[in-house]
């Protein structure tokens, strides 16, 4: 991600101290580091079943393309969510549990959750991103950014409620869900004026 943004991060106050921009790592060193970490991760995957090994290739593709999406789409956060959430079906595969509607509901919840929290994150950089010329969901939603963050989080909570219903989970689950909803409410209250530092704090 830092490699993809090496010519951008220096123009954003909050990211100008990142390793490549600050000179702690060269671009070559950053790529070597990323490749080494990916190789170590793949070694871990080799201890799992064949299907999960194949699925890890999708995870790798998503991880590679995500950082470049802000050049081509106003929803790079969607690709971030798809990359992070891919862990959900991979866990089902690794445990050799059949995929079900629950699998994909959890995947969808994770994707939408990323849309919510990373839009909040992007709202802090919206003005600078506009000057630089990169895209984000915060730019796409404009003044409705915080409303969309609320919408995404409500959708996540509803999906998780539906999962709880389908799995006949106990009241402990719904107590946890209530706690999550309370936390979301606090985040929105913190970011209510859409001030950059408050959006980061809420994130």
């Amino acid at each position: 991600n830092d490699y993809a943004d090496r010519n951008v991060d220096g123009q954003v106050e909050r990211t100008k101290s990142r390793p490549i921009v600050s000179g702690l790592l060269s671009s070559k060193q950053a790529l070597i580091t990323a490749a080494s970490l990916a190789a170590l991760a793949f070694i871990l995957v080799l201890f799992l079943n064949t299907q999960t090994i194949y699925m890890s290739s999708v995870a790798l593709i998503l991880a590679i393309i995500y950082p470049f999406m802000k050049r081509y789409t106003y929803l790079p956060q969607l690709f971030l969510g798809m990359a992070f959430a891919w862990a959900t079906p991979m866990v089902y595969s690794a445990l050799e549990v059949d995929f079900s509607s629950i699998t994909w509901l959890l995947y969808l919840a994770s994707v939408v959750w990323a849309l919510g929290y990373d839009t909040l994150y992007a709202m802090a950089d919206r003005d600078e991103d506009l000057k630089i010329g990169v895209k984000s969901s915060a730019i796409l939603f404009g003044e409705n950014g915080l409303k969309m963050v609320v919408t995404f989080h409500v959708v996540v909570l509803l999906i998780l409620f539906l999962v709880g219903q389908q799995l006949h989970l106990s009241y402990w689950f719904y107590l946890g869900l209530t706690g999550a909803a309370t936390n979301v409410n606090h985040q929105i209250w913190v970011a209510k004026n859409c001030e950059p530092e408050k959006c980061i704090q809420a994130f």
Side-chain angles (χ1 to χ4, degrees):
N1 187 58
D2 285 4
Y3 175 80
D5 289 343
R6 65 193 184 282
N7 297 321
V8 173
D9 283 344
Q11 302 176 58
V12 179
E13 182 65 27
R14 191 178 49 77
T15 60
K16 65 182 184 181
S17 62
R18 286 181 174 175
I20 299 178
V21 176
S22 64
L24 291 175
L25 282 179
S26 67
S27 295
K28 182 179 179 180
Q29 289 171 327
L31 289 176
I32 291 173
T33 301
S36 300
L37 292 172
L40 288 171
F42 185 64
I43 290 172
L44 292 176
V45 174
L46 291 176
F47 288 93
L48 304 175
N49 57 52
T50 302
Q51 177 175 279
T52 309
I53 294 172
Y54 287 141
M55 291 182 71
S56 72
S57 63
V58 177
L60 179 62
I61 292 169
L62 288 170
I64 290 173
I65 67 173
Y66 153 67
F68 298 94
M69 287 299 101
K70 65 179 67 174
R71 276 83 171 163
Y72 305 104
T73 174
Y74 283 101
L75 285 174
Q77 287 72 22
L78 176 62
F79 289 86
L80 174 71
M82 291 168 63
F84 280 2
W86 194 245
T88 302
M90 282 190 68
V91 166
Y92 272 79
S93 176
L95 296 176
E96 299 183 352
V97 176
D98 291 338
F99 293 165
S100 66
S101 60
I102 299 296
T103 311
W104 302 113
L105 282 172
L106 290 173
Y107 178 77
L108 179 62
S110 297
V111 172
V112 178
W113 182 41
L115 276 168
Y117 69 68
D118 209 50
T119 293
L120 194 58
Y121 185 81
M123 286 168 61
D125 297 334
R126 179 166 53 198
D127 292 342
E128 290 173 303
D129 285 345
L130 281 167
K131 293 177 183 177
I132 297 168
V134 297
K135 300 175 174 65
S136 74
S137 56
I139 294 173
L140 176 65
F141 300 136
E143 295 181 357
N144 294 315
L146 195 60
K147 292 179 181 178
M148 291 304 299
V149 170
V150 172
T151 300
F152 289 137
H153 280 93
V154 169
V155 169
V156 171
L157 292 169
L158 288 174
I159 292 173
L160 293 178
F161 179 83
L162 180 59
V163 168
Q165 291 287 294
Q166 291 195 21
L167 293 178
H168 306 291
L169 298 180
S170 73
Y171 72 92
W172 287 106
F173 174 80
Y174 298 102
L175 185 62
L177 205 57
T178 301
T182 302
N183 185 42
V184 168
N185 185 64
H186 175 67
Q187 290 174 22
I188 300 305
W189 182 82
V190 169
K192 63 182 182 297
N193 294 322
C194 300
E195 299 169 357
E197 64 274 12
K198 292 297 184 181
C199 289
I200 291 296
Q201 183 181 339
F203 167 81

